[in-house]
PDB file of all heavy atoms in Angstrom:
ATOM      1  N   GLY R 654      -8.707  28.291 -16.409  1.00 96.00           N
ATOM      2  CA  GLY R 654      -7.718  28.328 -15.358  1.00 96.00           C
ATOM      3  C   GLY R 654      -6.549  27.378 -15.571  1.00 96.00           C
ATOM      4  O   GLY R 654      -5.388  27.698 -15.384  1.00 96.00           O
ATOM      5  N   THR R 655      -6.855  26.178 -16.062  1.00 97.00           N
ATOM      6  CA  THR R 655      -5.907  25.165 -16.266  1.00 97.00           C
ATOM      7  C   THR R 655      -4.897  25.537 -17.356  1.00 97.00           C
ATOM      8  O   THR R 655      -3.672  25.411 -17.191  1.00 97.00           O
ATOM      9  CB  THR R 655      -6.568  23.831 -16.585  1.00 97.00           C
ATOM     10  OG1 THR R 655      -7.445  23.434 -15.541  1.00 97.00           O
ATOM     11  CG2 THR R 655      -5.510  22.687 -16.762  1.00 97.00           C
ATOM     12  N   PHE R 656      -5.402  25.963 -18.469  1.00 97.00           N
ATOM     13  CA  PHE R 656      -4.561  26.409 -19.593  1.00 97.00           C
ATOM     14  C   PHE R 656      -3.742  27.625 -19.217  1.00 97.00           C
ATOM     15  O   PHE R 656      -2.549  27.723 -19.629  1.00 97.00           O
ATOM     16  CB  PHE R 656      -5.365  26.688 -20.831  1.00 97.00           C
ATOM     17  CG  PHE R 656      -6.006  25.488 -21.481  1.00 97.00           C
ATOM     18  CD1 PHE R 656      -7.285  25.555 -22.019  1.00 97.00           C
ATOM     19  CD2 PHE R 656      -5.365  24.273 -21.536  1.00 97.00           C
ATOM     20  CE1 PHE R 656      -7.839  24.428 -22.664  1.00 97.00           C
ATOM     21  CE2 PHE R 656      -5.902  23.160 -22.153  1.00 97.00           C
ATOM     22  CZ  PHE R 656      -7.153  23.225 -22.672  1.00 97.00           C
ATOM     23  N   GLY R 657      -4.287  28.469 -18.410  1.00 96.00           N
ATOM     24  CA  GLY R 657      -3.513  29.627 -17.946  1.00 96.00           C
ATOM     25  C   GLY R 657      -2.352  29.213 -17.116  1.00 96.00           C
ATOM     26  O   GLY R 657      -1.207  29.724 -17.282  1.00 96.00           O
ATOM     27  N   LEU R 658      -2.557  28.276 -16.174  1.00 97.00           N
ATOM     28  CA  LEU R 658      -1.458  27.763 -15.335  1.00 97.00           C
ATOM     29  C   LEU R 658      -0.384  27.075 -16.148  1.00 97.00           C
ATOM     30  O   LEU R 658       0.818  27.148 -15.762  1.00 97.00           O
ATOM     31  CB  LEU R 658      -2.037  26.800 -14.261  1.00 97.00           C
ATOM     32  CG  LEU R 658      -2.855  27.438 -13.174  1.00 97.00           C
ATOM     33  CD1 LEU R 658      -3.575  26.356 -12.349  1.00 97.00           C
ATOM     34  CD2 LEU R 658      -1.925  28.288 -12.261  1.00 97.00           C
ATOM     35  N   ARG R 659      -0.774  26.400 -17.172  1.00 97.00           N
ATOM     36  CA  ARG R 659       0.188  25.634 -17.985  1.00 97.00           C
ATOM     37  C   ARG R 659       0.779  26.417 -19.179  1.00 97.00           C
ATOM     38  O   ARG R 659       1.533  25.901 -19.955  1.00 97.00           O
ATOM     39  CB  ARG R 659      -0.430  24.351 -18.473  1.00 97.00           C
ATOM     40  CG  ARG R 659      -0.978  23.458 -17.374  1.00 97.00           C
ATOM     41  CD  ARG R 659      -1.283  22.070 -17.815  1.00 97.00           C
ATOM     42  NE  ARG R 659      -0.056  21.247 -17.925  1.00 97.00           N
ATOM     43  CZ  ARG R 659       0.398  20.668 -18.988  1.00 97.00           C
ATOM     44  NH1 ARG R 659      -0.257  20.838 -20.147  1.00 97.00           N
ATOM     45  NH2 ARG R 659       1.473  19.935 -18.967  1.00 97.00           N
ATOM     46  N   GLY R 660       0.363  27.661 -19.299  1.00 95.00           N
ATOM     47  CA  GLY R 660       0.902  28.522 -20.359  1.00 95.00           C
ATOM     48  C   GLY R 660       0.432  28.153 -21.732  1.00 95.00           C
ATOM     49  O   GLY R 660       1.090  28.427 -22.750  1.00 95.00           O
ATOM     50  N   HIS R 661      -0.763  27.533 -21.859  1.00 94.00           N
ATOM     51  CA  HIS R 661      -1.313  27.149 -23.167  1.00 94.00           C
ATOM     52  C   HIS R 661      -2.268  28.242 -23.606  1.00 94.00           C
ATOM     53  O   HIS R 661      -3.343  28.376 -23.111  1.00 94.00           O
ATOM     54  CB  HIS R 661      -2.077  25.796 -23.073  1.00 94.00           C
ATOM     55  CG  HIS R 661      -2.362  25.142 -24.337  1.00 94.00           C
ATOM     56  ND1 HIS R 661      -2.007  23.861 -24.612  1.00 94.00           N
ATOM     57  CD2 HIS R 661      -2.945  25.648 -25.478  1.00 94.00           C
ATOM     58  CE1 HIS R 661      -2.372  23.555 -25.853  1.00 94.00           C
ATOM     59  NE2 HIS R 661      -2.940  24.619 -26.390  1.00 94.00           N
ATOM     60  N   ALA R 662      -1.780  29.016 -24.541  1.00 95.00           N
ATOM     61  CA  ALA R 662      -2.512  30.299 -24.908  1.00 95.00           C
ATOM     62  C   ALA R 662      -3.442  30.133 -26.109  1.00 95.00           C
ATOM     63  O   ALA R 662      -4.263  31.033 -26.313  1.00 95.00           O
ATOM     64  CB  ALA R 662      -1.535  31.374 -25.202  1.00 95.00           C
ATOM     65  N   ASP R 663      -3.365  29.077 -26.847  1.00 97.00           N
ATOM     66  CA  ASP R 663      -4.173  28.933 -28.078  1.00 97.00           C
ATOM     67  C   ASP R 663      -5.040  27.720 -27.971  1.00 97.00           C
ATOM     68  O   ASP R 663      -4.599  26.592 -28.097  1.00 97.00           O
ATOM     69  CB  ASP R 663      -3.245  28.827 -29.336  1.00 97.00           C
ATOM     70  CG  ASP R 663      -2.505  30.136 -29.611  1.00 97.00           C
ATOM     71  OD1 ASP R 663      -3.201  31.056 -30.085  1.00 97.00           O
ATOM     72  OD2 ASP R 663      -1.308  30.229 -29.304  1.00 97.00           O
ATOM     73  N   TRP R 664      -6.351  27.993 -27.723  1.00 98.00           N
ATOM     74  CA  TRP R 664      -7.278  26.837 -27.603  1.00 98.00           C
ATOM     75  C   TRP R 664      -8.712  27.340 -27.944  1.00 98.00           C
ATOM     76  O   TRP R 664      -8.977  28.553 -27.941  1.00 98.00           O
ATOM     77  CB  TRP R 664      -7.249  26.271 -26.208  1.00 98.00           C
ATOM     78  CG  TRP R 664      -7.408  27.235 -25.078  1.00 98.00           C
ATOM     79  CD1 TRP R 664      -6.470  27.946 -24.406  1.00 98.00           C
ATOM     80  CD2 TRP R 664      -8.688  27.554 -24.438  1.00 98.00           C
ATOM     81  NE1 TRP R 664      -7.036  28.742 -23.453  1.00 98.00           N
ATOM     82  CE2 TRP R 664      -8.354  28.512 -23.385  1.00 98.00           C
ATOM     83  CE3 TRP R 664     -10.001  27.178 -24.590  1.00 98.00           C
ATOM     84  CZ2 TRP R 664      -9.334  29.084 -22.581  1.00 98.00           C
ATOM     85  CZ3 TRP R 664     -10.953  27.679 -23.768  1.00 98.00           C
ATOM     86  CH2 TRP R 664     -10.641  28.631 -22.770  1.00 98.00           C
ATOM     87  N   ILE R 665      -9.527  26.358 -28.275  1.00 98.00           N
ATOM     88  CA  ILE R 665     -10.927  26.629 -28.648  1.00 98.00           C
ATOM     89  C   ILE R 665     -11.731  25.678 -27.852  1.00 98.00           C
ATOM     90  O   ILE R 665     -11.442  24.451 -27.720  1.00 98.00           O
ATOM     91  CB  ILE R 665     -11.113  26.408 -30.181  1.00 98.00           C
ATOM     92  CG1 ILE R 665     -10.273  27.378 -30.987  1.00 98.00           C
ATOM     93  CG2 ILE R 665     -12.579  26.560 -30.496  1.00 98.00           C
ATOM     94  CD1 ILE R 665     -10.275  27.088 -32.478  1.00 98.00           C
ATOM     95  N   SER R 666     -12.857  26.136 -27.254  1.00 98.00           N
ATOM     96  CA  SER R 666     -13.819  25.302 -26.602  1.00 98.00           C
ATOM     97  C   SER R 666     -15.117  25.305 -27.380  1.00 98.00           C
ATOM     98  O   SER R 666     -15.554  26.302 -27.887  1.00 98.00           O
ATOM     99  CB  SER R 666     -14.060  25.790 -25.152  1.00 98.00           C
ATOM    100  OG  SER R 666     -14.523  27.182 -25.205  1.00 98.00           O
ATOM    101  N   VAL R 667     -15.711  24.091 -27.533  1.00 98.00           N
ATOM    102  CA  VAL R 667     -16.889  23.938 -28.336  1.00 98.00           C
ATOM    103  C   VAL R 667     -17.911  23.126 -27.519  1.00 98.00           C
ATOM    104  O   VAL R 667     -17.675  22.010 -27.078  1.00 98.00           O
ATOM    105  CB  VAL R 667     -16.594  23.128 -29.624  1.00 98.00           C
ATOM    106  CG1 VAL R 667     -17.846  22.814 -30.387  1.00 98.00           C
ATOM    107  CG2 VAL R 667     -15.654  23.863 -30.544  1.00 98.00           C
ATOM    108  N   LYS R 668     -19.064  23.772 -27.282  1.00 98.00           N
ATOM    109  CA  LYS R 668     -20.148  23.055 -26.646  1.00 98.00           C
ATOM    110  C   LYS R 668     -20.825  22.158 -27.745  1.00 98.00           C
ATOM    111  O   LYS R 668     -21.812  22.569 -28.367  1.00 98.00           O
ATOM    112  CB  LYS R 668     -21.135  24.011 -26.043  1.00 98.00           C
ATOM    113  CG  LYS R 668     -22.287  23.363 -25.207  1.00 98.00           C
ATOM    114  CD  LYS R 668     -23.082  24.355 -24.486  1.00 98.00           C
ATOM    115  CE  LYS R 668     -24.316  23.717 -23.793  1.00 98.00           C
ATOM    116  NZ  LYS R 668     -23.934  22.654 -22.876  1.00 98.00           N
ATOM    117  N   GLY R 669     -20.197  21.027 -27.983  1.00 98.00           N
ATOM    118  CA  GLY R 669     -20.532  20.262 -29.142  1.00 98.00           C
ATOM    119  C   GLY R 669     -21.484  19.127 -28.873  1.00 98.00           C
ATOM    120  O   GLY R 669     -21.953  18.889 -27.744  1.00 98.00           O
ATOM    121  N   LEU R 670     -21.807  18.348 -29.894  1.00 98.00           N
ATOM    122  CA  LEU R 670     -22.762  17.245 -29.786  1.00 98.00           C
ATOM    123  C   LEU R 670     -22.142  16.222 -28.845  1.00 98.00           C
ATOM    124  O   LEU R 670     -21.033  15.671 -29.114  1.00 98.00           O
ATOM    125  CB  LEU R 670     -23.004  16.646 -31.179  1.00 98.00           C
ATOM    126  CG  LEU R 670     -23.799  17.589 -32.146  1.00 98.00           C
ATOM    127  CD1 LEU R 670     -23.810  16.958 -33.533  1.00 98.00           C
ATOM    128  CD2 LEU R 670     -25.174  17.789 -31.624  1.00 98.00           C
ATOM    129  N   GLU R 671     -22.866  15.878 -27.812  1.00 97.00           N
ATOM    130  CA  GLU R 671     -22.430  14.903 -26.803  1.00 97.00           C
ATOM    131  C   GLU R 671     -21.066  15.214 -26.280  1.00 97.00           C
ATOM    132  O   GLU R 671     -20.295  14.362 -25.934  1.00 97.00           O
ATOM    133  CB  GLU R 671     -22.510  13.518 -27.411  1.00 97.00           C
ATOM    134  CG  GLU R 671     -23.885  13.040 -27.832  1.00 97.00           C
ATOM    135  CD  GLU R 671     -23.926  11.656 -28.384  1.00 97.00           C
ATOM    136  OE1 GLU R 671     -23.525  10.702 -27.609  1.00 97.00           O
ATOM    137  OE2 GLU R 671     -24.342  11.433 -29.519  1.00 97.00           O
ATOM    138  N   GLY R 672     -20.745  16.499 -26.185  1.00 96.00           N
ATOM    139  CA  GLY R 672     -19.435  16.945 -25.617  1.00 96.00           C
ATOM    140  C   GLY R 672     -18.316  16.842 -26.585  1.00 96.00           C
ATOM    141  O   GLY R 672     -17.148  17.024 -26.207  1.00 96.00           O
ATOM    142  N   SER R 673     -18.568  16.523 -27.873  1.00 98.00           N
ATOM    143  CA  SER R 673     -17.490  16.353 -28.834  1.00 98.00           C
ATOM    144  C   SER R 673     -17.153  17.658 -29.444  1.00 98.00           C
ATOM    145  O   SER R 673     -17.645  18.753 -29.060  1.00 98.00           O
ATOM    146  CB  SER R 673     -17.981  15.424 -29.973  1.00 98.00           C
ATOM    147  OG  SER R 673     -18.940  16.076 -30.819  1.00 98.00           O
ATOM    148  N   CYS R 674     -16.242  17.648 -30.427  1.00 98.00           N
ATOM    149  CA  CYS R 674     -15.865  18.836 -31.180  1.00 98.00           C
ATOM    150  C   CYS R 674     -16.786  19.142 -32.337  1.00 98.00           C
ATOM    151  O   CYS R 674     -16.557  20.074 -33.080  1.00 98.00           O
ATOM    152  CB  CYS R 674     -14.417  18.709 -31.683  1.00 98.00           C
ATOM    153  SG  CYS R 674     -13.174  18.605 -30.328  1.00 98.00           S
ATOM    154  N   ASP R 675     -17.824  18.340 -32.538  1.00 98.00           N
ATOM    155  CA  ASP R 675     -18.811  18.518 -33.607  1.00 98.00           C
ATOM    156  C   ASP R 675     -19.822  19.564 -33.218  1.00 98.00           C
ATOM    157  O   ASP R 675     -20.579  19.413 -32.225  1.00 98.00           O
ATOM    158  CB  ASP R 675     -19.552  17.215 -33.882  1.00 98.00           C
ATOM    159  CG  ASP R 675     -18.701  16.247 -34.722  1.00 98.00           C
ATOM    160  OD1 ASP R 675     -17.561  16.571 -35.064  1.00 98.00           O
ATOM    161  OD2 ASP R 675     -19.228  15.147 -35.001  1.00 98.00           O
ATOM    162  N   LEU R 676     -19.834  20.690 -34.008  1.00 98.00           N
ATOM    163  CA  LEU R 676     -20.833  21.708 -33.760  1.00 98.00           C
ATOM    164  C   LEU R 676     -22.263  21.263 -34.093  1.00 98.00           C
ATOM    165  O   LEU R 676     -22.434  20.526 -35.070  1.00 98.00           O
ATOM    166  CB  LEU R 676     -20.571  22.932 -34.651  1.00 98.00           C
ATOM    167  CG  LEU R 676     -19.576  23.976 -34.146  1.00 98.00           C
ATOM    168  CD1 LEU R 676     -18.158  23.377 -34.095  1.00 98.00           C
ATOM    169  CD2 LEU R 676     -19.534  25.232 -34.970  1.00 98.00           C
ATOM    170  N   ALA R 677     -23.214  21.634 -33.298  1.00 97.00           N
ATOM    171  CA  ALA R 677     -24.579  21.258 -33.518  1.00 97.00           C
ATOM    172  C   ALA R 677     -25.218  22.170 -34.599  1.00 97.00           C
ATOM    173  O   ALA R 677     -24.816  23.254 -34.820  1.00 97.00           O
ATOM    174  CB  ALA R 677     -25.402  21.368 -32.202  1.00 97.00           C
ATOM    175  N   ARG R 678     -26.233  21.586 -35.260  1.00 97.00           N
ATOM    176  CA  ARG R 678     -27.056  22.359 -36.187  1.00 97.00           C
ATOM    177  C   ARG R 678     -28.447  22.688 -35.617  1.00 97.00           C
ATOM    178  O   ARG R 678     -29.119  23.569 -36.093  1.00 97.00           O
ATOM    179  CB  ARG R 678     -27.205  21.650 -37.488  1.00 97.00           C
ATOM    180  CG  ARG R 678     -25.958  21.660 -38.380  1.00 97.00           C
ATOM    181  CD  ARG R 678     -26.132  20.817 -39.610  1.00 97.00           C
ATOM    182  NE  ARG R 678     -27.348  21.172 -40.337  1.00 97.00           N
ATOM    183  CZ  ARG R 678     -28.279  20.247 -40.727  1.00 97.00           C
ATOM    184  NH1 ARG R 678     -28.103  18.973 -40.552  1.00 97.00           N
ATOM    185  NH2 ARG R 678     -29.352  20.614 -41.471  1.00 97.00           N
ATOM    186  N   GLY R 679     -28.837  21.921 -34.594  1.00 97.00           N
ATOM    187  CA  GLY R 679     -30.156  22.106 -33.991  1.00 97.00           C
ATOM    188  C   GLY R 679     -30.226  23.210 -33.020  1.00 97.00           C
ATOM    189  O   GLY R 679     -31.324  23.440 -32.465  1.00 97.00           O
ATOM    190  N   ARG R 680     -29.150  23.896 -32.717  1.00 97.00           N
ATOM    191  CA  ARG R 680     -29.133  25.005 -31.794  1.00 97.00           C
ATOM    192  C   ARG R 680     -27.924  25.923 -32.179  1.00 97.00           C
ATOM    193  O   ARG R 680     -27.094  25.569 -32.980  1.00 97.00           O
ATOM    194  CB  ARG R 680     -28.971  24.488 -30.347  1.00 97.00           C
ATOM    195  CG  ARG R 680     -27.771  23.565 -30.142  1.00 97.00           C
ATOM    196  CD  ARG R 680     -27.641  23.235 -28.666  1.00 97.00           C
ATOM    197  NE  ARG R 680     -26.693  22.100 -28.474  1.00 97.00           N
ATOM    198  CZ  ARG R 680     -25.345  22.213 -28.432  1.00 97.00           C
ATOM    199  NH1 ARG R 680     -24.795  23.391 -28.691  1.00 97.00           N
ATOM    200  NH2 ARG R 680     -24.624  21.163 -28.249  1.00 97.00           N
ATOM    201  N   THR R 681     -27.898  27.076 -31.455  1.00 97.00           N
ATOM    202  CA  THR R 681     -26.750  27.944 -31.637  1.00 97.00           C
ATOM    203  C   THR R 681     -25.499  27.286 -31.195  1.00 97.00           C
ATOM    204  O   THR R 681     -25.493  26.713 -30.113  1.00 97.00           O
ATOM    205  CB  THR R 681     -27.019  29.269 -30.898  1.00 97.00           C
ATOM    206  OG1 THR R 681     -28.169  29.884 -31.344  1.00 97.00           O
ATOM    207  CG2 THR R 681     -25.825  30.226 -30.979  1.00 97.00           C
ATOM    208  N   ALA R 682     -24.434  27.390 -31.992  1.00 97.00           N
ATOM    209  CA  ALA R 682     -23.156  26.860 -31.654  1.00 97.00           C
ATOM    210  C   ALA R 682     -22.452  27.808 -30.668  1.00 97.00           C
ATOM    211  O   ALA R 682     -22.264  28.975 -30.962  1.00 97.00           O
ATOM    212  CB  ALA R 682     -22.312  26.622 -32.843  1.00 97.00           C
ATOM    213  N   ILE R 683     -22.149  27.309 -29.501  1.00 97.00           N
ATOM    214  CA  ILE R 683     -21.473  28.108 -28.475  1.00 97.00           C
ATOM    215  C   ILE R 683     -19.995  27.723 -28.494  1.00 97.00           C
ATOM    216  O   ILE R 683     -19.604  26.600 -28.212  1.00 97.00           O
ATOM    217  CB  ILE R 683     -22.068  27.875 -27.079  1.00 97.00           C
ATOM    218  CG1 ILE R 683     -23.533  28.193 -27.121  1.00 97.00           C
ATOM    219  CG2 ILE R 683     -21.372  28.701 -26.041  1.00 97.00           C
ATOM    220  CD1 ILE R 683     -24.271  27.874 -25.830  1.00 97.00           C
ATOM    221  N   VAL R 684     -19.154  28.713 -28.788  1.00 98.00           N
ATOM    222  CA  VAL R 684     -17.706  28.481 -28.995  1.00 98.00           C
ATOM    223  C   VAL R 684     -16.931  29.526 -28.239  1.00 98.00           C
ATOM    224  O   VAL R 684     -17.331  30.719 -28.156  1.00 98.00           O
ATOM    225  CB  VAL R 684     -17.376  28.533 -30.480  1.00 98.00           C
ATOM    226  CG1 VAL R 684     -15.830  28.372 -30.690  1.00 98.00           C
ATOM    227  CG2 VAL R 684     -18.102  27.543 -31.278  1.00 98.00           C
ATOM    228  N   GLY R 685     -15.790  29.159 -27.651  1.00 98.00           N
ATOM    229  CA  GLY R 685     -14.842  30.065 -27.034  1.00 98.00           C
ATOM    230  C   GLY R 685     -13.541  29.988 -27.768  1.00 98.00           C
ATOM    231  O   GLY R 685     -13.051  28.882 -28.016  1.00 98.00           O
ATOM    232  N   VAL R 686     -12.990  31.098 -28.206  1.00 98.00           N
ATOM    233  CA  VAL R 686     -11.740  31.091 -28.888  1.00 98.00           C
ATOM    234  C   VAL R 686     -10.687  31.907 -28.074  1.00 98.00           C
ATOM    235  O   VAL R 686     -10.896  33.065 -27.787  1.00 98.00           O
ATOM    236  CB  VAL R 686     -11.857  31.719 -30.324  1.00 98.00           C
ATOM    237  CG1 VAL R 686     -10.462  31.752 -30.980  1.00 98.00           C
ATOM    238  CG2 VAL R 686     -12.902  30.912 -31.134  1.00 98.00           C
ATOM    239  N   ASN R 687      -9.637  31.237 -27.642  1.00 97.00           N
ATOM    240  CA  ASN R 687      -8.591  31.886 -26.867  1.00 97.00           C
ATOM    241  C   ASN R 687      -7.323  31.954 -27.716  1.00 97.00           C
ATOM    242  O   ASN R 687      -6.728  30.916 -28.035  1.00 97.00           O
ATOM    243  CB  ASN R 687      -8.357  31.141 -25.600  1.00 97.00           C
ATOM    244  CG  ASN R 687      -7.626  31.932 -24.540  1.00 97.00           C
ATOM    245  OD1 ASN R 687      -8.222  32.624 -23.766  1.00 97.00           O
ATOM    246  ND2 ASN R 687      -6.275  31.934 -24.527  1.00 97.00           N
ATOM    247  N   ARG R 688      -6.921  33.168 -28.086  1.00 94.00           N
ATOM    248  CA  ARG R 688      -5.703  33.359 -28.909  1.00 94.00           C
ATOM    249  C   ARG R 688      -4.738  34.252 -28.126  1.00 94.00           C
ATOM    250  O   ARG R 688      -5.048  35.403 -27.841  1.00 94.00           O
ATOM    251  CB  ARG R 688      -6.024  34.034 -30.226  1.00 94.00           C
ATOM    252  CG  ARG R 688      -7.045  33.282 -31.048  1.00 94.00           C
ATOM    253  CD  ARG R 688      -6.502  32.038 -31.682  1.00 94.00           C
ATOM    254  NE  ARG R 688      -7.371  31.473 -32.696  1.00 94.00           N
ATOM    255  CZ  ARG R 688      -7.256  30.282 -33.262  1.00 94.00           C
ATOM    256  NH1 ARG R 688      -6.284  29.488 -32.887  1.00 94.00           N
ATOM    257  NH2 ARG R 688      -8.119  29.853 -34.177  1.00 94.00           N
ATOM    258  N   GLN R 689      -3.625  33.653 -27.668  1.00 88.00           N
ATOM    259  CA  GLN R 689      -2.605  34.385 -27.001  1.00 88.00           C
ATOM    260  C   GLN R 689      -3.192  35.129 -25.780  1.00 88.00           C
ATOM    261  O   GLN R 689      -2.864  36.296 -25.497  1.00 88.00           O
ATOM    262  CB  GLN R 689      -1.877  35.364 -27.901  1.00 88.00           C
ATOM    263  CG  GLN R 689      -1.149  34.719 -29.017  1.00 88.00           C
ATOM    264  CD  GLN R 689      -0.065  33.736 -28.501  1.00 88.00           C
ATOM    265  OE1 GLN R 689       0.672  34.074 -27.619  1.00 88.00           O
ATOM    266  NE2 GLN R 689       0.001  32.570 -29.132  1.00 88.00           N
ATOM    267  N   GLY R 690      -4.059  34.414 -25.056  1.00 81.00           N
ATOM    268  CA  GLY R 690      -4.598  34.980 -23.826  1.00 81.00           C
ATOM    269  C   GLY R 690      -5.850  35.831 -24.021  1.00 81.00           C
ATOM    270  O   GLY R 690      -6.469  36.203 -22.987  1.00 81.00           O
ATOM    271  N   ASP R 691      -6.270  36.158 -25.181  1.00 93.00           N
ATOM    272  CA  ASP R 691      -7.472  36.922 -25.428  1.00 93.00           C
ATOM    273  C   ASP R 691      -8.647  36.004 -25.753  1.00 93.00           C
ATOM    274  O   ASP R 691      -8.661  35.291 -26.779  1.00 93.00           O
ATOM    275  CB  ASP R 691      -7.302  37.897 -26.586  1.00 93.00           C
ATOM    276  CG  ASP R 691      -6.288  38.996 -26.244  1.00 93.00           C
ATOM    277  OD1 ASP R 691      -6.231  39.417 -25.060  1.00 93.00           O
ATOM    278  OD2 ASP R 691      -5.548  39.429 -27.175  1.00 93.00           O
TER     279      ASP R 691
END
Side-chain angles (χ1 to χ4, degrees):
T655 303
F656 290 143
L658 288 169
R659 304 193 79 241
H661 196 128
D663 291 286
W664 54 272
I665 298 171
S666 55
V667 174
K668 187 172 172 59
L670 293 172
E671 299 182 57
S673 73
C674 296
D675 284 358
L676 277 67
R678 287 176 49 229
R680 55 175 166 79
T681 298
I683 301 173
V684 177
V686 178
N687 198 90
R688 303 287 191 192
Q689 297 302 314
D691 293 326

